[in-house]
Amino acid sequence: MTHQPSDMADAPLDATMDHILQEISAVGRRLEGKDSRMIFLTEETKSMRLDIAGFQSRVTTLEQRVTAVETQATLTEDRDQELIYLCSEVVDLEDRSRRDNVRFLGFPEEIVGADAQSFLKNILPQLTGLVFDPPLEFQRASRLGPKCREGANHLRPIIACFLRHTQARQVLQKAQAQGPFCMNDLQIRMTAEFSKETSDHRKAFLALRPRLRQL
């Protein structure tokens, strides 16, 4: 009889301790779950850092490639500009080398004969009315292109290189002022001899000039 009150008093205490232990165990389990989540998040963070590092490496590589392409483009542009400049210099030199040349159009082959220089020396003073002092002299004069077939209407031009630039300028200035010269039933034209590039530019300008006059 004397021991029953003690056992009855210990029963609530044991229940409380069991409840506390259960709570502690539950908290421990929850903490374990959080620890596993923290470990997972840590691993995910490491993976993301590795991905970011990989992206940064790829971006750096792409930036280097873009820089290389831009450098190459700049070099190519510089080379293109240099090539354009050199081409213009070649065209200028070619035009300068032809500054004493005059192209004659309209002389039939049978009239000129084999000696184009002698023919031009005799015909130009009569045709243009110019007085040449000293007399005309040429470095060379010849037909341009292969000989035409008999009966062909195409008249090959004569290219004459004057010995004196002043005489070439005289002829060209007279031709520009007067236009085509008449010789019997023939129309004779005299023009400067330019490089192909300059000739193409002149043709384009002459084709455009009527439109420019209308503006």
Side-chain angles (χ1 to χ4, degrees), residues 66-206:
V66 168
T67 300
V69 170
E70 289 176 344
T71 302
Q72 185 64 35
T74 301
L75 293 175
T76 301
E77 184 177 355
D78 292 341
R79 283 197 294 266
D80 289 344
Q81 293 297 325
E82 183 178 4
L83 182 60
I84 292 172
Y85 171 76
L86 292 175
C87 288
S88 66
E89 286 293 301
V90 170
V91 171
D92 181 66
L93 289 173
E94 187 175 354
D95 286 335
R96 288 178 181 274
S97 69
R98 301 184 182 196
R99 62 196 297 265
D100 298 332
N101 290 4
V102 177
R103 180 189 292 252
F104 298 93
L105 304 170
F107 288 121
E109 306 255 351
E110 60 274 12
I111 294 179
V112 177
D115 190 354
Q117 290 192 38
S118 297
F119 172 79
L120 292 175
K121 287 179 183 179
N122 294 327
I123 199 65
L124 284 182
Q126 302 174 27
L127 194 61
T128 62
L130 295 172
V131 177
F132 299 99
D133 187 20
L136 283 175
E137 290 185 82
F138 300 95
Q139 296 184 42
R140 57 188 176 275
S142 60
R143 291 279 184 180
L144 183 64
K147 188 174 182 179
C148 301
R149 301 188 308 273
E150 291 186 8
N153 294 325
H154 176 66
L155 298 177
R156 293 186 298 163
I158 297 174
I159 306 298
C161 180
F162 285 68
L163 183 63
R164 299 174 182 85
H165 176 67
T166 53
Q167 293 180 339
R169 296 309 306 168
Q170 276 184 279
V171 171
L172 290 174
Q173 288 172 359
K174 182 73 173 181
Q176 185 176 8
Q178 181 172 328
F181 296 92
C182 294
M183 189 180 75
N184 298 329
D185 295 331
L186 302 173
Q187 282 195 338
I188 310 300
R189 292 180 173 82
M190 305 174 193
T191 62
E193 175 72 2
F194 296 107
S195 63
K196 182 180 183 304
E197 289 78 6
T198 303
S199 296
D200 291 343
H201 292 158
R202 285 173 59 86
K203 289 177 182 177
F205 173 75
L206 292 175

Side-chain angles (χ1 to χ4, degrees), residues 33-72:
K34 290 183 179 180
D35 287 343
S36 62
R37 290 184 62 188
M38 288 297 296
I39 293 172
F40 173 76
L41 291 174
T42 301
E43 294 297 327
E44 284 291 311
T45 302
K46 289 181 180 179
S47 178
M48 291 176 64
R49 287 178 178 175
L50 291 175
D51 290 341
I52 291 172
F55 287 137
Q56 289 176 339
S57 177
R58 292 176 62 185
V59 168
T60 300
T61 302
L62 289 173
E63 287 178 345
Q64 292 174 349
R65 293 178 62 183
V66 168
T67 300
V69 170
E70 289 176 344
T71 302
Q72 185 64 35

